[in-house]
Amino acid sequence: MAFCTKKNTAVVKIGDKELGGACPVLVQSMTNTPTEDPQATANQVIELADAGSEIVRITVNTKEAAKAVPTIVSLLEKKGYNTPLVGDFHYNGHLLLSEYQDCARLLAKYRINPGNVGRGEKHDNNFRAMVEAAVKWEKPVRIGVNWGSLDQELLAKMMDENALSGQPKDAHEVLIDAIVESALSSAAVAERYGLSRGQIVLSAKVSEVVDLVNVYRRLAANCTYALHLGLTEAGMGMKGIVASTAALSVLLAEGIGDTIRVSLTPAPGAARDEEVRVCQQILQSLGIRSFNPQVTACPGCGRTTSTVFQQLAQQIQEHLITERARWQEKYPGVEDLKVAVMGCIVNGPGESKHSDIGISLPGTGEEPRAPVYIDGKHVTTLDGANLAQDFIKLVNDYVEKRYAVKV
């Protein structure tokens, strides 16, 4: 069970998906291919969709990229994919959406950064042109404020006002105020230009965990727009995963957030889909959604110097990952499956009993005779060289028995 009921925000339709309100929190990702290369971009969208991304954002920054959007959509449709595509616009979005009508029509959503649409009168005119394109084509818009590209005129105005106040805040506090103000005021302007509340998603991304939590708490308290969560420029590897998990988990546990992205920097040449799996694991760990069968395994200690349980846990995890797609089509609900692979007798039997199916190895210096528990009851004890294969067969049999659709 999730920690907190999701906040009541407006429901937004994006392609065939819905977010906001009581809808499930959706997982997003973004391509890093040049959009001008439609085949490479379509291939990466498929890779991300296969990993579980429910919405994919693509850069639309040039005329060539805008021209490529219809081809990308066509390539995806030929492969049987209807993943909603979000166009990421900066600086020239008003021109591209106006000049390339098929691009504007086929994208499922537009992303506008109010800090990157011009200054002064140009800012207002360019922002209006993008919103009016969304109104014309009945598209939702994510108004995405980013502290690295914040509206400098708004920030300067708020800094000046702060300096003249009787109790001025420090500059960082004013920056946070400006981020929130930019998001809320831009959304209000978009409504005046014709967008409905159900066509607006807000995001206000920063790269520090505490700042992100504070910004989104304030947004959630002051509006009912759907909210997209993400720590911008999260970083690589463990740093990016831990920082994103820390920030998003606090907000999601408070019921804040309708869609999420973990903006990991991939290793050179690495697949892009790790960020999708991290999003899924955050949501599943919080009990908000289930995506994949889960393996519980102990960390090991002086009682478990044997590597048998580590190898077994790895084999089981790999087996569940390999079978995931096939199982989810054939066995509805299998994503809730919990498997335990424990290393010794201290917590092993108890943890195994709490899982759907679990195995408890005896620890160091003993023959690997391992009791197996199914639905809390001891059903058999495995040993010998084929212990791993025998347990995998029991897992497969359990999945078939519990999750197969009864005809």
Side-chain angles (χ1 to χ4, degrees):
M1 180 178 292
F3 295 141
C4 183
T5 302
K6 196 151 72 78
K7 303 292 185 185
N8 184 27
T9 56
V11 175
V12 179
K13 186 171 178 60
I14 301 173
D16 66 345
K17 309 291 185 186
E18 287 186 336
L19 61 86
C23 301
V25 178
L26 297 185
V27 173
Q28 290 197 38
S29 58
M30 185 175 183
T31 60
N32 62 358
T33 54
T35 308
E36 294 89 343
D37 184 340
Q39 187 65 66
T41 302
N43 288 345
Q44 194 170 76
V45 171
I46 289 171
E47 174 187 294
L48 293 167
D50 284 345
S53 183
E54 293 157 306
I55 300 171
V56 177
R57 183 158 47 113
I58 62 175
T59 296
V60 186
N61 58 333
T62 64
K63 293 182 177 182
E64 291 72 22
K67 288 179 184 177
V69 168
T71 305
I72 294 168
V73 172
S74 177
L75 289 169
L76 292 173
E77 288 177 345
K78 288 177 182 177
K79 293 286 188 178
Y81 289 80
N82 61 351
T83 307
L85 298 183
V86 179
D88 191 56
F89 294 98
H90 296 272
Y91 309 112
N92 60 352
H94 57 292
L95 299 175
L96 298 178
L97 287 170
S98 173
E99 187 172 348
Y100 298 95
Q101 298 285 294
D102 284 343
C103 169
R105 177 177 60 85
L106 291 169
L107 289 170
K109 185 176 75 166
Y110 311 152
R111 188 274 179 135
I112 304 174
N113 182 342
N116 287 340
V117 295
R119 298 286 183 91
E121 186 176 344
K122 285 186 177 180
H123 174 283
D124 298 340
N125 291 339
N126 294 347
F127 185 78
R128 181 167 192 158
M130 297 178 77
V131 170
E132 288 179 344
V135 172
K136 174 182 177 180
W137 296 108
E138 298 181 336
K139 305 294 182 180
V141 169
R142 171 156 73 94
I143 297 174
V145 178
N146 190 302
W147 75 345
S149 51
L150 184 61
D151 183 337
Q152 292 302 299
E153 291 183 348
L154 173 65
L155 180 60
K157 174 177 175 289
M158 293 182 68
M159 286 288 187
D160 290 342
E161 291 172 350
N162 180 65
L164 297 173
S165 69
Q167 295 181 310
K169 303 175 182 179
D170 67 39
H172 189 74
E173 288 182 89
V174 179
L175 174 64
I176 298 301
D177 290 344
I179 290 169
V180 175
E181 173 60 26
S182 178
L184 294 176
S185 62
S186 297
V189 170
E191 285 198 67
R192 289 203 299 272
Y193 291 159
L195 282 182
S196 70
R197 189 147 297 214
Q199 289 177 279
I200 297 173
V201 180
L202 292 188
S203 70
K205 292 190 173 184
V206 298
S207 56
E208 298 295 332
V209 171
V210 174
D211 288 333
L212 191 83
V213 171
N214 289 337
V215 164
Y216 275 95
R217 280 174 173 167
R218 289 176 59 180
L219 284 177
N222 287 282
C223 76
T224 57
Y225 299 112
L227 299 177
H228 169 72
L229 306 185
L231 195 71
T232 192
E233 294 106 22
M236 296 186 72
M238 183 179 294
K239 185 270 179 185
I241 292 171
V242 172
S244 292
T245 302
L248 269 58
S249 294
V250 171
L251 294 166
L252 291 166
E254 294 178 4
I256 297 170
D258 301 292
T259 174
I260 64 173
R261 182 189 175 206
V262 171
S263 300
L264 293 180
T265 304
R272 188 74 165 172
D273 58 3
E274 184 180 22
E275 65 177 52
V276 177
R277 295 194 301 275
V278 174
C279 286
Q280 291 178 329
Q281 194 59 55
I282 291 170
L283 294 172
Q284 189 148 353
S285 296
L286 292 171
I288 293 172
R289 290 183 67 186
S290 293
F291 296 93
N292 300 299
Q294 300 286 289
V295 176
T296 299
C298 69
C301 66
R303 299 184 186 88
T304 58
T305 53
S306 167
T307 60
V308 173
F309 90 93
Q310 297 168 326
Q311 293 164 351
L312 179 57
Q314 184 177 25
Q315 286 178 281
I316 294 298
Q317 183 71 64
E318 290 173 353
H319 179 69
L320 296 181
I321 291 171
T322 300
E323 293 294 319
R324 176 183 65 87
R326 184 179 71 86
W327 278 358
Q328 286 182 329
E329 288 185 6
K330 191 174 180 182
Y331 303 118
V334 74
E335 63 273 10
D336 294 319
L337 176 70
K338 293 180 174 60
V339 181
V341 179
M342 305 300 292
C344 81
I345 60 172
V346 174
N347 292 320
E351 188 70 50
S352 297
K353 289 177 184 177
H354 287 300
S355 296
D356 296 314
I357 179 169
I359 187 168
S360 177
L361 279 77
T364 300
E366 302 175 46
E367 291 297 320
R369 287 180 51 80
V372 175
Y373 299 85
I374 295 179
D375 294 332
K377 296 178 180 179
H378 175 237
V379 295
T380 189
T381 298
L382 302 179
D383 58 16
N386 293 323
L387 185 149
Q389 290 76 14
D390 291 343
F391 184 63
I392 287 174
K393 183 178 185 305
L394 288 172
V395 171
N396 291 342
D397 291 345
Y398 181 83
V399 169
E400 169 69 28
K401 180 179 178 181
R402 177 171 176 181
Y403 296 104
V405 176
K406 302 296 188 294
V407 179

